[in-house]
Amino acid sequence: MIRFSGELVLWDAKGVEPQFRYLDSTTLREKIIFCDADTMRLALGNQPFEKRHIEGKATQLSPTSDVWLCVGRPHIFQKYQVSVSSPASQSKRIQGQVIEADGESGQIVYLVRGRRSYLTIEPSLAKEMAESLSQMQTVEINGDYRYDRIKRYYTKD
């Protein structure tokens, strides 16, 4: 007995020999598995077979035969691709009041609801914040920042 899975290529439940063909994802070859018409009708119903994948179990007719028979009901499903937008996953919303800034290293300390948070940003931006703080001005940080792995600090989007 084997397990099979692949893209459904052909489905014939009404013919003389009810069968389905699928593209084996490991060998990239088309394979045929014979099944009884009732099982095939139950598995697919009246759905179209385009863009469907099939998986299940099959057994050989005899030990030396190339004829495969399905065991049980094959599972037919549609594959969906899920994509993740990479900038959104690396971007981070930062809001708060800056209380310390180091223009050399780019490290800043800001308050969010009374809690201190540390962040390394572009040194030139931190230097501007440090100058404003030295003049006793209120400095806010507000925006979307993305971590640049090459520069090793957060840059404003």
Side-chain angles (χ1 to χ4, degrees):
M1 187 163 4
I2 62 159
R3 287 189 155 279
F4 63 86
S5 84
E7 186 178 336
L8 195 53
V9 176
L10 179 78
W11 185 265
D12 182 16
K14 297 178 181 95
V16 180
E17 295 179 318
Q19 61 179 293
F20 61 86
R21 293 176 191 221
Y22 73 98
L23 187 64
D24 190 346
S25 53
T26 54
T27 62
L28 297 175
R29 289 197 176 139
E30 205 173 278
K31 294 192 176 176
I32 300 171
I33 296 186
F34 295 92
C35 227
D36 65 287
D38 291 336
T39 303
M40 288 178 59
R41 258 193 305 278
L42 284 171
L44 193 64
N46 55 5
Q47 306 172 49
F49 65 84
E50 290 87 18
K51 302 285 184 197
R52 303 252 180 223
H53 285 261
I54 188 165
E55 60 185 27
K57 294 178 187 172
T59 187
Q60 282 178 299
L61 185 61
S62 66
T64 56
S65 173
D66 285 339
V67 177
W68 290 90
L69 304 171
C70 68
V71 175
R73 192 165 105 189
H75 176 59
I76 297 169
F77 58 98
Q78 195 163 5
K79 274 192 176 177
Y80 294 100
Q81 284 188 320
V82 179
S83 64
V84 176
S85 59
S86 55
S89 62
Q90 294 174 343
S91 168
K92 165 178 175 177
R93 182 100 182 134
I94 299 170
Q95 274 183 299
Q97 182 181 348
V98 179
I99 55 172
E100 292 177 36
D102 182 358
E104 298 297 314
S105 66
Q107 186 168 14
I108 63 167
V109 180
Y110 63 101
L111 294 175
V112 181
R113 288 185 229 107
R115 284 189 63 211
R116 293 170 70 96
S117 296
Y118 299 86
L119 185 71
T120 304
I121 60 170
E122 195 171 340
S124 61
L125 192 59
K127 191 173 187 177
E128 287 175 27
M129 289 178 178
E131 288 170 9
S132 297
L133 286 170
S134 68
Q135 296 168 5
M136 302 301 279
Q137 295 176 346
T138 303
V139 179
E140 297 282 325
I141 185 166
N142 186 1
D144 292 322
Y145 287 80
R146 184 175 39 84
Y147 188 70
D148 189 323
R149 288 168 44 187
I150 295 166
K151 296 177 182 173
R152 294 171 51 174
Y153 56 74
Y154 282 87
T155 58
K156 190 166 179 140
D157 278 352

Coordinates of all heavy atoms in Angstrom, one line a residue, residues 83-155:
S83 N 0.2 34.8 1.1 CA 1.4 35.6 1.0 C 1.5 36.6 2.1 O 0.4 37.1 2.5 CB 1.5 36.3 -0.4 OG 0.4 37.2 -0.4
V84 N 2.7 36.9 2.6 CA 2.9 37.8 3.7 C 3.7 39.0 3.1 O 4.7 38.8 2.5 CB 3.6 37.2 4.8 CG1 3.9 38.2 5.9 CG2 2.9 36.0 5.3
S85 N 3.2 40.2 3.3 CA 3.9 41.4 2.8 C 5.0 41.6 3.8 O 4.8 41.9 5.0 CB 3.0 42.6 2.7 OG 2.4 42.9 3.9
S86 N 6.3 41.6 3.3 CA 7.4 41.7 4.2 C 7.6 43.1 4.8 O 7.9 43.1 6.0 CB 8.7 41.3 3.4 OG 8.8 42.1 2.3
P87 N 7.3 44.2 4.1 CA 7.5 45.5 4.8 C 6.6 45.6 6.0 O 7.0 46.2 7.1 CB 7.2 46.5 3.8 CG 7.4 45.9 2.5 CD 7.0 44.4 2.7
A88 N 5.4 45.1 6.0 CA 4.4 45.3 7.1 C 4.9 44.5 8.3 O 4.7 44.9 9.4 CB 3.1 44.8 6.6
S89 N 5.5 43.3 8.0 CA 5.9 42.5 9.1 C 7.2 43.1 9.8 O 7.4 42.8 11.0 CB 6.2 41.1 8.7 OG 7.2 41.0 7.7
Q90 N 8.0 43.9 9.1 CA 9.2 44.4 9.7 C 9.0 45.8 10.2 O 9.8 46.4 10.9 CB 10.3 44.4 8.7 CG 10.7 43.0 8.4 CD 11.8 43.0 7.3 OE1 12.0 44.0 6.6 NE2 12.4 41.9 7.1
S91 N 7.9 46.4 9.9 CA 7.6 47.8 10.3 C 7.0 47.8 11.6 O 6.2 47.0 12.0 CB 6.7 48.4 9.2 OG 6.2 49.6 9.6
K92 N 7.3 48.9 12.4 CA 6.8 49.0 13.8 C 6.4 50.4 14.1 O 7.1 51.3 13.7 CB 8.0 48.5 14.6 CG 7.9 48.7 16.1 CD 9.2 48.1 16.7 CE 9.3 48.4 18.1 NZ 10.5 47.8 18.7
R93 N 5.2 50.5 14.6 CA 4.7 51.9 15.0 C 5.3 52.3 16.3 O 5.1 51.6 17.3 CB 3.1 51.8 15.1 CG 2.5 53.1 15.4 CD 1.9 53.7 14.1 NE 1.4 55.0 14.3 CZ 1.6 56.0 13.6 NH1 2.4 55.9 12.5 NH2 1.1 57.1 13.8
I94 N 5.9 53.5 16.3 CA 6.5 54.0 17.5 C 6.0 55.4 17.9 O 6.0 56.3 17.0 CB 8.1 54.0 17.4 CG1 8.6 52.6 17.1 CG2 8.7 54.7 18.6 CD1 10.0 52.6 16.7
Q95 N 5.5 55.5 19.1 CA 4.9 56.8 19.5 C 5.4 57.0 21.0 O 5.3 56.0 21.8 CB 3.4 56.7 19.5 CG 2.8 57.1 18.2 CD 1.2 57.1 18.3 OE1 0.7 56.1 18.6 NE2 0.6 58.2 18.1
G96 N 5.7 58.2 21.3 CA 6.1 58.5 22.7 C 6.8 59.8 22.8 O 7.1 60.5 21.8
Q97 N 7.2 60.2 24.0 CA 7.9 61.4 24.3 C 9.4 61.0 24.5 O 9.7 60.2 25.4 CB 7.4 62.1 25.5 CG 8.1 63.4 25.8 CD 7.6 64.1 27.0 OE1 6.5 63.8 27.5 NE2 8.3 65.1 27.4
V98 N 10.3 61.6 23.8 CA 11.7 61.3 23.9 C 12.2 62.1 25.1 O 12.0 63.3 25.3 CB 12.5 61.8 22.6 CG1 14.0 61.5 22.7 CG2 11.9 61.0 21.4
I99 N 13.0 61.4 26.0 CA 13.5 62.0 27.2 C 15.1 62.1 27.1 O 15.7 62.9 27.8 CB 13.0 61.4 28.5 CG1 13.3 59.9 28.5 CG2 11.5 61.7 28.7 CD1 13.0 59.2 29.8
E100 N 15.7 61.2 26.4 CA 17.1 61.2 26.2 C 17.4 60.8 24.7 O 16.7 60.0 24.1 CB 17.8 60.1 27.1 CG 17.7 60.4 28.6 CD 18.3 59.3 29.4 OE1 19.4 58.7 28.9 OE2 17.8 59.0 30.5
A101 N 18.5 61.4 24.2 CA 19.0 61.0 22.9 C 20.5 61.2 22.8 O 21.0 62.1 23.3 CB 18.3 61.9 21.8
D102 N 21.1 60.2 22.2 CA 22.6 60.2 22.0 C 22.8 60.3 20.5 O 22.5 59.4 19.7 CB 23.2 58.9 22.6 CG 24.7 58.9 22.4 OD1 25.3 59.8 21.9 OD2 25.3 57.9 22.9
G103 N 23.4 61.4 20.1 CA 23.7 61.7 18.6 C 24.8 60.9 18.1 O 24.9 60.7 16.9
E104 N 25.6 60.3 18.9 CA 26.8 59.5 18.5 C 26.3 58.1 18.1 O 26.6 57.6 17.0 CB 27.9 59.4 19.5 CG 28.5 60.8 19.9 CD 29.2 61.4 18.7 OE1 30.0 60.7 18.0 OE2 29.0 62.6 18.4
S105 N 25.6 57.4 19.0 CA 25.2 56.0 18.8 C 23.8 55.9 18.2 O 23.5 54.9 17.6 CB 25.2 55.3 20.2 OG 24.2 55.8 21.0
G106 N 23.0 57.0 18.3 CA 21.7 56.9 17.8 C 20.7 56.3 18.7 O 19.5 56.2 18.4
Q107 N 21.1 56.0 19.9 CA 20.2 55.4 20.9 C 19.3 56.5 21.6 O 19.8 57.6 22.0 CB 20.9 54.7 22.0 CG 19.9 53.9 22.9 CD 20.6 52.9 23.8 OE1 21.8 52.9 23.9 NE2 19.8 52.0 24.3
I108 N 18.0 56.3 21.6 CA 17.1 57.2 22.3 C 16.3 56.5 23.4 O 16.2 55.3 23.3 CB 16.1 57.9 21.3 CG1 15.2 56.9 20.7 CG2 16.8 58.7 20.3 CD1 14.0 57.5 20.0
V109 N 15.9 57.2 24.4 CA 15.0 56.7 25.4 C 13.7 57.5 25.3 O 13.7 58.7 25.3 CB 15.6 56.9 26.8 CG1 14.7 56.3 27.9 CG2 17.0 56.2 26.9
Y110 N 12.6 56.8 25.2 CA 11.3 57.5 25.1 C 10.3 56.9 26.1 O 10.5 55.7 26.5 CB 10.8 57.5 23.7 CG 10.5 56.2 23.1 CD1 9.2 55.7 23.0 CD2 11.5 55.4 22.6 CE1 8.9 54.5 22.4 CE2 11.2 54.1 22.0 CZ 9.9 53.7 21.9 OH 9.6 52.5 21.4
L111 N 9.3 57.6 26.5 CA 8.3 57.2 27.4 C 7.0 56.8 26.7 O 6.5 57.6 25.8 CB 8.0 58.3 28.4 CG 9.1 58.6 29.4 CD1 8.7 59.8 30.3 CD2 9.5 57.5 30.3
V112 N 6.5 55.7 27.0 CA 5.2 55.3 26.5 C 4.3 54.9 27.7 O 4.6 53.9 28.4 CB 5.3 54.0 25.6 CG1 3.9 53.6 25.1 CG2 6.2 54.3 24.4
R113 N 3.3 55.7 28.1 CA 2.5 55.5 29.2 C 3.3 55.3 30.5 O 3.1 54.4 31.3 CB 1.5 54.4 29.1 CG 0.4 54.7 28.1 CD -0.6 53.5 28.0 NE -0.8 53.2 26.6 CZ -0.4 52.2 26.0 NH1 0.3 51.2 26.6 NH2 -0.6 52.0 24.7
G114 N 4.4 56.1 30.7 CA 5.2 56.1 31.9 C 6.3 55.1 31.8 O 7.2 55.0 32.7
R115 N 6.3 54.2 30.8 CA 7.4 53.2 30.7 C 8.5 53.6 29.8 O 8.2 54.1 28.8 CB 6.8 51.8 30.2 CG 6.0 51.1 31.3 CD 5.6 49.7 30.8 NE 6.8 48.9 30.6 CZ 6.8 47.9 29.7 NH1 5.8 47.6 28.9 NH2 7.9 47.2 29.5
R116 N 9.7 53.4 30.3 CA 10.9 53.7 29.4 C 11.1 52.7 28.4 O 11.1 51.5 28.6 CB 12.1 53.8 30.3 CG 12.1 54.9 31.3 CD 13.2 54.8 32.3 NE 14.6 55.0 31.7 CZ 15.2 56.2 31.8 NH1 14.6 57.2 32.4 NH2 16.4 56.4 31.2
S117 N 11.3 53.1 27.1 CA 11.6 52.2 26.0 C 12.9 52.7 25.4 O 13.1 53.9 25.3 CB 10.5 52.2 25.0 OG 9.4 51.6 25.6
Y118 N 13.7 51.8 24.9 CA 15.0 52.1 24.2 C 14.9 51.8 22.8 O 14.3 50.8 22.4 CB 16.1 51.4 24.9 CG 16.3 51.7 26.4 CD1 15.5 51.0 27.3 CD2 17.2 52.7 26.8 CE1 15.7 51.3 28.7 CE2 17.3 53.0 28.1 CZ 16.5 52.3 29.1 OH 16.7 52.6 30.4
L119 N 15.5 52.6 21.9 CA 15.5 52.4 20.5 C 16.7 53.0 19.9 O 17.2 54.1 20.3 CB 14.2 53.0 19.9 CG 13.9 52.8 18.4 CD1 13.5 51.3 18.2 CD2 12.9 53.7 18.0
T120 N 17.3 52.3 18.9 CA 18.4 52.8 18.2 C 17.9 53.3 16.8 O 17.4 52.5 16.1 CB 19.6 51.8 18.0 OG1 19.9 51.3 19.3 CG2 20.8 52.4 17.3
I121 N 18.1 54.6 16.5 CA 17.6 55.1 15.2 C 18.8 55.7 14.5 O 19.9 55.7 15.0 CB 16.5 56.2 15.5 CG1 17.0 57.3 16.3 CG2 15.2 55.5 16.1 CD1 16.0 58.5 16.4
E122 N 18.5 56.3 13.4 CA 19.5 57.0 12.6 C 20.2 58.0 13.4 O 19.6 58.9 14.0 CB 18.9 57.6 11.4 CG 19.8 58.0 10.3 CD 19.1 58.4 9.0 OE1 17.9 58.1 8.8 OE2 19.8 59.1 8.2
P123 N 21.6 58.0 13.6 CA 22.3 58.9 14.4 C 22.0 60.4 14.1 O 21.9 61.2 15.1 CB 23.8 58.6 14.2 CG 23.7 57.1 13.8 CD 22.5 57.0 13.0
S124 N 21.8 60.8 12.9 CA 21.6 62.2 12.6 C 20.2 62.7 13.1 O 20.1 63.8 13.6 CB 21.6 62.4 11.1 OG 20.6 61.7 10.4
L125 N 19.2 61.7 13.1 CA 17.9 62.1 13.7 C 18.0 62.1 15.2 O 17.4 63.0 15.8 CB 16.9 61.0 13.2 CG 15.5 61.2 13.5 CD1 15.0 62.4 12.8 CD2 14.6 60.0 13.0
A126 N 18.8 61.3 15.8 CA 19.0 61.3 17.3 C 19.7 62.6 17.7 O 19.4 63.1 18.7 CB 19.7 60.0 17.7
K127 N 20.6 63.0 16.8 CA 21.4 64.2 17.1 C 20.5 65.4 17.2 O 20.6 66.3 18.0 CB 22.5 64.4 16.1 CG 23.5 65.5 16.5 CD 24.7 65.5 15.5 CE 25.7 66.4 16.0 NZ 26.9 66.4 15.2
E128 N 19.5 65.5 16.2 CA 18.5 66.6 16.1 C 17.7 66.6 17.4 O 17.4 67.6 18.0 CB 17.6 66.4 14.9 CG 18.3 66.8 13.6 CD 17.3 66.5 12.4 OE1 16.1 66.5 12.6 OE2 17.9 66.2 11.3
M129 N 17.3 65.4 17.8 CA 16.5 65.2 19.0 C 17.3 65.7 20.3 O 16.7 66.4 21.1 CB 16.0 63.8 19.2 CG 15.0 63.4 18.2 SD 14.6 61.6 18.5 CE 13.3 61.4 17.3
A130 N 18.6 65.3 20.3 CA 19.4 65.7 21.5 C 19.6 67.2 21.5 O 19.5 67.8 22.6 CB 20.8 65.0 21.3
E131 N 19.7 67.9 20.4 CA 19.8 69.4 20.4 C 18.5 70.0 20.8 O 18.6 71.0 21.6 CB 20.2 69.8 18.9 CG 21.6 69.5 18.5 CD 21.9 69.8 17.1 OE1 21.0 70.4 16.4 OE2 23.0 69.4 16.6
S132 N 17.4 69.5 20.4 CA 16.1 70.0 20.9 C 15.9 69.8 22.4 O 15.4 70.7 23.1 CB 14.9 69.4 20.1 OG 15.0 69.7 18.7
L133 N 16.3 68.7 22.9 CA 16.2 68.4 24.3 C 17.1 69.3 25.1 O 16.8 69.7 26.2 CB 16.6 66.9 24.6 CG 15.5 65.9 24.2 CD1 16.1 64.5 24.3 CD2 14.2 66.0 25.0
S134 N 18.3 69.6 24.6 CA 19.3 70.5 25.3 C 18.7 71.9 25.4 O 19.1 72.7 26.3 CB 20.6 70.5 24.6 OG 20.5 71.2 23.3
Q135 N 17.8 72.3 24.5 CA 17.1 73.6 24.6 C 15.8 73.5 25.3 O 15.0 74.4 25.2 CB 16.9 74.1 23.1 CG 18.1 74.4 22.4 CD 17.9 74.6 20.9 OE1 16.8 74.7 20.4 NE2 19.0 74.7 20.1
M136 N 15.6 72.4 26.1 CA 14.4 72.2 26.9 C 13.1 72.2 26.1 O 12.1 72.5 26.6 CB 14.3 73.3 28.0 CG 15.5 73.4 28.9 SD 15.9 71.8 29.8 CE 14.7 71.9 31.1
Q137 N 13.2 71.7 24.9 CA 12.0 71.5 24.1 C 11.4 70.1 24.3 O 12.1 69.2 24.6 CB 12.3 71.8 22.6 CG 12.7 73.2 22.3 CD 13.1 73.3 20.8 OE1 13.3 72.3 20.1 NE2 13.2 74.6 20.4
T138 N 10.1 70.0 24.1 CA 9.5 68.7 24.1 C 9.7 68.0 22.8 O 9.4 68.6 21.7 CB 7.9 68.8 24.4 OG1 7.8 69.5 25.6 CG2 7.3 67.4 24.5
V139 N 10.2 66.8 22.8 CA 10.4 66.0 21.6 C 9.6 64.8 21.6 O 9.6 64.0 22.5 CB 11.9 65.6 21.5 CG1 12.2 64.8 20.2 CG2 12.8 66.8 21.6
E140 N 8.8 64.6 20.5 CA 7.9 63.5 20.3 C 8.5 62.6 19.2 O 9.1 63.1 18.3 CB 6.5 63.9 19.9 CG 5.8 64.8 20.9 CD 5.2 64.0 22.0 OE1 4.8 62.8 21.8 OE2 5.2 64.5 23.2
I141 N 8.3 61.3 19.4 CA 8.6 60.3 18.3 C 7.3 59.7 17.9 O 6.5 59.3 18.7 CB 9.7 59.3 18.7 CG1 10.0 58.4 17.5 CG2 9.2 58.4 19.8 CD1 11.3 57.6 17.6
N142 N 7.0 59.8 16.6 CA 5.7 59.3 16.1 C 5.8 58.9 14.7 O 6.1 59.7 13.8 CB 4.6 60.4 16.3 CG 3.3 59.9 15.9 OD1 3.1 58.7 15.6 ND2 2.3 60.8 16.0
G143 N 5.7 57.6 14.4 CA 5.7 57.1 13.0 C 6.0 55.7 12.9 O 6.1 55.0 13.9
D144 N 6.1 55.2 11.7 CA 6.4 53.8 11.4 C 7.9 53.7 11.1 O 8.4 54.4 10.3 CB 5.6 53.3 10.1 CG 4.1 53.3 10.4 OD1 3.7 52.9 11.5 OD2 3.3 53.6 9.5
Y145 N 8.5 52.8 11.8 CA 9.9 52.6 11.7 C 10.2 51.1 11.3 O 9.5 50.2 11.7 CB 10.7 52.9 13.0 CG 10.7 54.4 13.3 CD1 9.7 55.1 13.8 CD2 11.9 55.1 13.0 CE1 9.7 56.4 14.0 CE2 12.0 56.4 13.2 CZ 10.9 57.1 13.8 OH 10.9 58.5 14.0
R146 N 11.2 51.0 10.5 CA 11.6 49.6 10.0 C 13.0 49.4 10.3 O 13.9 50.2 10.1 CB 11.3 49.6 8.5 CG 11.6 48.2 7.8 CD 11.2 48.2 6.4 NE 11.6 49.4 5.6 CZ 12.8 49.6 5.1 NH1 13.8 48.7 5.3 NH2 13.1 50.7 4.4
Y147 N 13.3 48.2 10.8 CA 14.7 47.8 11.2 C 15.5 47.5 10.0 O 15.1 46.7 9.2 CB 14.7 46.7 12.2 CG 16.1 46.4 12.7 CD1 16.6 47.3 13.7 CD2 16.8 45.3 12.4 CE1 17.9 47.1 14.2 CE2 18.1 45.0 12.9 CZ 18.6 45.9 13.8 OH 19.8 45.7 14.3
D148 N 16.6 48.2 9.8 CA 17.5 48.0 8.7 C 18.6 47.1 9.2 O 19.4 47.5 10.1 CB 18.1 49.3 8.2 CG 18.9 49.2 6.9 OD1 19.6 48.1 6.8 OD2 18.8 50.1 6.1
R149 N 18.7 45.8 8.7 CA 19.6 44.9 9.3 C 21.1 45.2 8.9 O 22.0 44.8 9.6 CB 19.3 43.5 8.8 CG 18.0 43.0 9.6 CD 17.4 41.8 9.0 NE 18.3 40.7 8.7 CZ 17.9 39.6 8.1 NH1 16.6 39.5 7.7 NH2 18.7 38.7 7.8
I150 N 21.3 45.9 7.8 CA 22.6 46.3 7.4 C 23.2 47.4 8.2 O 24.3 47.4 8.8 CB 22.7 46.6 5.9 CG1 22.3 45.4 5.1 CG2 24.0 47.2 5.5 CD1 21.9 45.6 3.7
K151 N 22.4 48.5 8.4 CA 22.8 49.6 9.2 C 22.6 49.4 10.7 O 23.2 50.1 11.5 CB 21.9 50.8 8.8 CG 22.1 51.3 7.4 CD 21.2 52.4 7.1 CE 21.3 52.8 5.6 NZ 20.3 53.8 5.3
R152 N 21.8 48.4 11.1 CA 21.6 48.0 12.5 C 20.9 49.0 13.3 O 21.3 49.2 14.5 CB 22.9 47.5 13.1 CG 23.4 46.2 12.4 CD 24.7 45.7 12.8 NE 24.9 45.6 14.2 CZ 26.0 45.1 14.7 NH1 26.9 44.6 14.0 NH2 26.1 45.1 16.0
Y153 N 20.0 49.8 12.7 CA 19.2 50.7 13.5 C 17.9 50.9 12.7 O 17.7 50.5 11.6 CB 19.8 52.0 13.8 CG 20.3 52.8 12.6 CD1 19.5 53.5 11.7 CD2 21.7 52.9 12.3 CE1 19.9 54.2 10.6 CE2 22.2 53.6 11.2 CZ 21.3 54.2 10.4 OH 21.8 54.9 9.3
Y154 N 16.9 51.5 13.4 CA 15.6 51.7 12.8 C 15.6 52.9 12.0 O 16.1 54.0 12.3 CB 14.5 51.8 13.9 CG 14.1 50.5 14.5 CD1 14.8 50.0 15.6 CD2 13.0 49.8 14.0 CE1 14.4 48.7 16.1 CE2 12.6 48.6 14.5 CZ 13.3 48.1 15.6 OH 12.9 46.8 16.1
T155 N 14.9 52.8 10.8 CA 14.8 54.0 9.9 C 13.3 54.3 9.7 O 12.5 53.4 9.8 CB 15.4 53.7 8.5 OG1 14.8 52.6 8.0 CG2 16.9 53.5 8.6

